[in-house]
Amino acid sequence: MTTMQNMLKNPDANLVLALADDLLMLGHVQGDWTGLGPILEEDIASSSMAQDDLSHALVLYEHLGAHFGIDADVIAYERDIADYRCCDLVTLPDEFDWAVAFVRRWVISHWAAPVLDRLTKSDDQDLAERCLRLRAEQSLHLTYLDDWMHRLGSGPDEGRTRIQTALDTIAEHAGMVMEVPDRDLADIEAFCCGREELFNEWTTAMNVVLEHAGFTMTFPLPALDAFGGRRGTHAPHFHEQHAEMTEVRCADPGATW
Amino acid sequence: MSKIRQRDFTFAEELPPHADGVMHAYIVYTCRKDGTPHRYAGYLDAPDIDLAVEYACEHYGQDEACTGIWVHLVEHLHETPCAQEHIDPATGSDDGDSDSEPIWIVFTQKRRGDIHIETGALHAADAATALSKAVARHGESTVQVRVVLRDHIEATEPGQLIWRTHDQTYRLARGYSKSVRAKWDAVRKVEDVDEYTKEDIEHHF
Amino acid sequence: MSGAANPVMTIDPSEEDQDKLAEFESRIADGVLIEPGDWMPQAYRMGMLRMAEHHANSEIVGALPEGEWITRAPSLRRKLALTAKVQDEVGHGQMLYRVSQDLGKSREDMLRDLCTGKTKYHNCFNYPAPSWADIAMVQWLIDGAAIMNQKTLADGAYGPYVRTMHRINMEEAFHFKSGEDMVLTLMSGTKKQKAMTQEAFDRWWGPSVMFFGPHDKPNCENLPPMKWRMKTESNDSLRQRFVNRFAPAALDLGLVIHVCQKDEHGMVTSKTVDEQCRLDETTGNWGVTDPDWDEFFRVIRGNGPCNAHRVALRRFSYEQGAWVRRAIAGGATTLPPAA
């Protein structure tokens, strides 16, 4: 068995990969907005957060890489497509609609926070310490994004309508953020026994903000058997993003970049 | 490249009208290390000071290690004219502080073209008095003195995380300098590399 | 990046108050910096505004060609670096628009004039970046040229612009080092990487040599842009220093310096080795074939390979973002407490 297969067969590693892949692809799609944002200052702030997300993915890949003996970039770029554990929401096309991009990021950031909280309690000391730092930095994003949600909520109708429409679009995909990355993981406490608790914590935190801002978003917790991106059955848009992300690196396998 | 960037665009003849609403200009100062003065970093535009602070953290707070940020409206600045040579401190007057008066933060500029750096604080009843006191106390060897009412300055919380804790060397020259030098040395004569690097920027984040 | 003074700038100081003008010019000659509260000729104010605006536009448009490669960067570190680099361009644009705003033009007006083609940006961003190696070349050659130029601009006379230039240059140091690192890595890599790098070099060497603008007018030292220290070194002198620095470095890297013919998309159609590109032992200067200045002016007039696309993407971004600006520009006075 290769080192990569070792990692992919490891339930704990899959939990970390689910978060790391979400952050990688979120940083990837949000980073694409750099230079194209609606306000120069917002563009800069948004790009800083995209860089954090990419950095956080790297920090997690480095943790796994050290454990399984794989280079972080190989984990990030050179897995088979079915071995990416991200949910489909992170790469949901925004079609250059800032509202969709904003809400997509806001939902994933709210998801990352309680997941990181759980990982900080991991028995793996190295992982716990890394996640503690990541959690503090993801908190900065939450503060910023929640503030924006309030601002947009107290702004003119035009913006309110666009954000609510985006929330409705995102809600269709948001439940699958809770997809278990591996059916065999059913006995992993963080994901399954605590699955409802995690779902409640995540959605409650979002609803507090939405309520203040005058928006709504509801979606149910999908069944444990529901499968999609996290178990490797990715939506077509992930395939497109993945092809784009790996285009240069895979054009010349083995080269140093 | 991403599909958006590849797209063919078609537009109406006219640009849509200007956005309504007001943006204000803010001045941003950063502090590199607790206990050291705040230094002018730059400007930004924002609708209000809270968002200005958030923007400042994500821009000027990420250039180099940063432990604190101050932001205030440009209009809240009171300054002396910029002197050609140096300010004469005797043009100010200092009749002592009264704790009952509000606090003003003093910034000074050492030479024309330099940035303004936090130099002290004082009590004064109004801007004119504050500026006059600041000139008397801090004007020596400066070309310009500025004062801002402390209550007009919005600051980040003490100990607030601004500069990130994960590896930032990817965005700093020092993250590359050594390996770049080694790679040049592998393909060029040392004296040629020395000559070539003379044009490098000396001061960098 | 970038920021050569608008190459077609002409300034007429005859309308000014002659006594004040004489005093202003003598202060500049003494090396005194001008701060916003000082008297300055109207032509100087307008000239500085146009220069800072052109520079800001160049940063904002300069973010576009490199931005195309953020999603395709071949490693996480390169992806992070490129994102940060493009972000820096936006930050530079923001800071430089502020310098212009203080000289009397609103940011909104500047962004709108950029979208409608009323104002220009640096010519080099009208060329395509069709491979990853182009990103390496932009960061090595174009940022290298920009740094040489901006170091002289930081030695100019207008305080706010000088301060901004110092800060920008500190960030450019990272861009340039990152570019060198990419070029050096590619040129010590596989055959495919080396070929890709040579092709990108062929595309960017010409625009780099043209970066500093056309040949100077005779007597340029005594004309306003230099006399008023809006710029402090002539185009040709900067160009010579650039060639002296980069031509031997490129050759030592294993690159070949070509004179290239390009099609309307900016792609090389034929090339010959630049025979003039060699060291003149007597002057110590490196030679270079004079670039095609017809091309330069054709591109400036809007007919370069990417002019239409760059401006259209800027406009698209501006129009798409309008509702966000409207949504938050009112100020957030009725905010509930953050959760």
Side-chain angles (χ1 to χ4, degrees):
Chain A
M1 202 154 54
T2 65
T3 49
M4 186 72 90
Q5 283 167 333
N6 274 335
M7 179 180 75
L8 293 165
K9 287 259 184 310
N10 182 297
D12 291 329
N14 275 297
L15 286 182
V16 176
L17 274 179
L19 177 63
D21 291 351
D22 278 2
L23 293 173
L24 169 69
M25 297 315 294
L26 184 65
H28 169 82
V29 293
Q30 294 294 147
D32 192 22
W33 278 80
T34 307
L36 299 174
I39 299 166
L40 300 177
E41 285 83 357
E42 184 277 337
D43 193 320
I44 294 162
S46 170
S47 186
S48 283
M49 292 191 288
Q51 290 166 53
D52 283 344
D53 292 334
L54 292 170
S55 295
H56 291 177
L58 178 57
V59 165
L60 295 172
Y61 292 140
E62 280 171 346
H63 165 77
L64 292 171
H67 198 276
F68 292 95
I70 316 172
D71 180 72
D73 277 322
V74 172
I75 303 178
Y77 282 86
E78 297 181 15
R79 270 174 290 162
D80 290 337
I81 217 162
D83 294 332
Y84 282 81
R85 297 278 166 257
C86 47
C87 61
D88 287 333
L89 176 63
V90 276
T91 47
L92 186 75
D94 56 51
E95 298 296 341
F96 210 72
D97 179 341
W98 187 87
V100 172
F102 170 77
V103 173
R104 180 181 61 196
R105 164 182 266 170
W106 179 78
V107 168
I108 296 296
S109 298
H110 266 282
W111 150 261
V115 172
L116 280 167
D117 280 340
R118 282 158 175 74
L119 291 173
T120 59
K121 298 186 187 97
S122 166
D123 293 336
D124 184 331
Q125 200 60 33
D126 179 63
L127 179 64
E129 278 167 17
R130 284 170 192 257
C131 289
L132 202 61
R133 284 188 287 124
L134 266 47
R135 178 67 175 89
E137 293 178 6
Q138 288 289 333
S139 290
L140 296 178
H141 300 193
L142 279 185
T143 306
Y144 180 87
L145 297 168
D146 286 350
D147 179 46
W148 267 80
M149 193 61 98
H150 289 306
R151 287 171 185 277
L152 292 159
S154 57
D157 286 346
E158 177 197 27
R160 293 185 47 79
T161 306
R162 283 176 182 269
I163 293 296
Q164 185 57 58
T165 306
L167 283 161
D168 296 343
T169 306
I170 298 284
E172 290 172 31
H173 306 268
M176 286 302 281
V177 171
M178 293 296 303
E179 180 192 357
V180 179
D182 185 334
R183 187 61 187 83
D184 298 337
L185 282 172
D187 58 348
I188 299 287
E189 190 175 331
F191 247 92
C192 297
C193 300
R195 194 161 168 261
E196 277 180 31
E197 187 195 313
L198 176 61
F199 179 73
N200 288 337
E201 190 178 333
W202 172 44
T203 50
T204 304
M206 290 195 291
N207 282 330
V208 168
V209 180
L210 292 177
E211 203 174 305
H212 275 301
F215 297 119
T216 59
M217 176 171 66
T218 52
F219 53 87
L221 174 63
L224 198 53
D225 280 338
F227 70 95
R230 291 212 194 282
R231 280 192 233 167
T233 310
H234 291 282
H237 55 76
F238 175 75
H239 288 255
E240 285 170 23
Q241 290 295 345
H242 180 266
E244 186 173 322
M245 185 174 81
T246 55
E247 177 190 314
V248 174
R249 188 180 177 94
C250 296
D252 200 350
T256 303
W257 296 96
Chain B
M1 89 184 74
S2 66
K3 275 186 272 171
I4 294 303
R5 294 174 183 265
Q6 277 175 315
R7 201 180 273 197
D8 282 324
F9 304 101
T10 49
F11 300 103
E13 207 132 289
E14 292 283 311
L15 263 186
H18 279 258
D20 297 327
V22 187
M23 290 285 182
H24 306 283
Y26 293 89
I27 301 187
V28 180
Y29 308 83
T30 55
C31 173
R32 293 169 180 171
K33 204 176 145 205
D34 282 334
T36 63
H38 285 71
R39 302 158 55 84
Y40 165 90
Y43 289 82
L44 55 79
D45 288 5
D48 55 70
I49 201 159
D50 293 331
L51 188 53
V53 172
E54 289 179 25
Y55 281 155
C57 288
E58 298 307 315
H59 179 186
Y60 298 106
Q62 306 308 314
D63 284 336
E64 58 187 329
C66 175
T67 58
I69 282 183
W70 282 356
V71 173
H72 66 76
L73 272 172
V74 170
E75 294 89 86
H76 285 152
L77 188 71
H78 305 272
E79 63 186 15
T80 61
C82 194
Q84 294 300 333
E85 296 291 335
H86 279 303
I87 284 182
D88 178 5
T91 56
S93 73
D94 185 358
D95 54 0
D97 279 15
S98 156
D99 288 349
S100 60
E101 291 166 349
I103 297 174
W104 299 76
I105 305 293
V106 181
F107 301 92
T108 56
Q109 183 186 25
K110 292 277 179 214
R111 288 175 313 176
R112 287 179 159 242
D114 280 2
I115 60 167
H116 291 78
I117 298 173
E118 175 197 2
T119 317
L122 50 80
H123 291 270
D126 55 60
T129 318
L131 203 53
S132 182
K133 274 188 199 176
V135 166
R137 289 185 198 172
H138 303 287
E140 183 84 44
S141 305
T142 72
V143 290
Q144 190 175 51
V145 172
R146 292 177 163 180
V147 293
V148 183
L149 193 63
R150 196 180 69 179
D151 286 348
H152 283 153
I153 298 176
E154 191 72 24
T156 51
E157 298 292 325
Q160 181 179 325
L161 178 64
I162 302 169
W163 175 249
R164 310 298 203 243
T165 58
H166 60 254
D167 182 12
Q168 298 284 304
T169 54
Y170 72 85
R171 55 180 309 153
L172 299 169
R174 66 168 183 268
Y176 302 87
S177 303
K178 265 193 191 160
S179 77
V180 164
R181 177 72 207 211
K183 287 173 189 171
W184 277 124
D185 284 341
V187 293
R188 303 191 75 187
K189 281 186 280 186
V190 172
E191 57 266 34
D192 289 342
V193 183
D194 286 342
E195 181 64 27
Y196 166 88
T197 47
K198 273 187 194 158
E199 292 274 3
D200 276 359
I201 302 256
E202 277 172 51
H203 302 286
H204 48 76
F205 291 125
Chain C
M1 145 193 342
S2 104
N6 192 334
V8 288
M9 182 153 57
T10 47
I11 285 172
D12 176 13
S14 62
E15 306 274 301
E16 308 288 348
D17 178 327
Q18 293 303 314
D19 290 344
K20 283 183 172 167
L21 180 63
E23 193 194 324
F24 172 83
E25 290 187 339
S26 91
R27 268 194 279 141
I28 297 242
D30 290 345
V32 176
L33 268 72
I34 306 303
E35 290 289 355
D38 300 343
W39 183 90
M40 62 187 96
Q42 190 56 21
Y44 180 80
R45 183 181 296 276
M46 289 310 297
M48 279 313 304
L49 190 159
R50 268 186 294 164
M51 188 165 149
E53 180 181 7
H54 182 268
H55 196 163
N57 287 347
S58 304
E59 301 283 354
I60 297 297
V61 177
L64 301 180
E66 288 180 272
E68 291 173 358
W69 288 89
I70 289 175
T71 54
R72 292 176 285 182
S75 75
L76 277 171
R77 195 172 164 86
R78 295 278 186 234
K79 196 177 184 83
L80 281 162
L82 183 57
T83 313
K85 201 258 177 177
V86 177
Q87 177 195 35
D88 282 348
E89 315 286 1
V90 180
H92 298 174
Q94 185 233 296
M95 292 191 275
L96 285 160
Y97 278 134
R98 170 44 59 188
V99 176
S100 315
Q101 280 166 274
D102 287 341
L103 288 163
K105 186 168 177 182
S106 76
R107 181 195 287 186
E108 187 95 356
D109 281 342
M110 288 187 276
L111 288 172
R112 293 169 72 85
D113 285 349
L114 176 59
C115 291
T116 54
K118 200 171 155 194
T119 52
K120 301 283 185 217
Y121 49 87
H122 199 286
N123 232 18
C124 63
F125 302 119
N126 289 318
Y127 291 91
S131 83
W132 174 253
D134 290 73
I135 299 310
M137 283 305 157
V138 169
Q139 289 191 21
W140 185 45
L141 295 178
I142 299 292
D143 284 279
I147 287 173
M148 293 180 77
N149 186 41
Q150 287 174 181
K151 274 167 75 177
T152 71
L153 295 175
D155 201 25
Y158 187 58
Y161 191 68
V162 165
R163 273 188 289 281
T164 308
M165 220 42 56
H166 280 304
R167 193 163 189 98
I168 287 178
N169 283 346
M170 300 216 317
E171 296 183 359
E172 294 282 359
F174 140 55
H175 304 171
F176 182 65
K177 285 288 152 202
S178 154
E180 286 181 284
D181 193 45
M182 283 193 275
V183 170
L184 284 157
T185 304
L186 290 169
M187 285 307 287
S188 61
T190 64
K191 247 187 196 172
K192 225 168 165 178
Q193 285 176 311
K194 285 182 191 169
M196 184 205 245
T197 311
Q198 177 66 53
E199 282 172 23
F201 181 76
D202 290 338
R203 279 188 287 273
W204 287 98
W205 179 250
S208 306
V209 174
M210 287 193 272
F211 181 92
F212 303 96
H215 295 302
D216 300 288
K217 292 176 189 164
N219 194 30
C220 63
E221 293 82 3
N222 298 314
L223 295 172
M226 283 190 74
K227 190 177 176 188
W228 291 351
R229 294 185 71 79
M230 296 166 72
K231 54 184 287 175
T232 61
E233 191 171 340
S234 71
N235 295 353
D236 286 326
S237 157
L238 277 163
R239 182 170 13 256
Q240 185 62 59
R241 285 206 288 127
F242 175 84
V243 174
N244 287 351
R245 185 182 190 201
F246 284 88
L251 295 174
D252 284 349
L253 264 172
L255 291 162
V256 182
I257 299 175
H258 290 114
V259 180
C260 298
Q261 305 296 318
K262 295 178 185 176
D263 64 16
E264 73 271 25
H265 306 296
M267 304 304 277
V268 174
T269 49
S270 69
K271 57 186 181 186
T272 51
V273 173
D274 187 352
E275 299 291 352
Q276 306 223 28
C277 201
R278 54 175 187 268
L279 181 65
D280 179 337
E281 300 281 359
T282 53
T283 60
N285 283 332
W286 281 75
V288 68
T289 293
D290 203 34
D292 178 357
W293 293 110
D294 289 342
E295 173 191 319
F296 178 83
F297 287 107
R298 192 166 62 241
V299 176
I300 271 204
R301 279 193 297 270
N303 302 314
C306 301
N307 299 56
H309 186 73
R310 301 277 187 252
V311 174
L313 185 52
R314 255 333 295 168
R315 177 163 174 180
F316 183 69
S317 155
Y318 177 81
E319 291 191 1
Q320 291 293 302
W323 73 266
V324 185
R325 293 190 291 277
R326 283 194 293 272
I328 68 145
T333 47
T334 58
L335 279 188

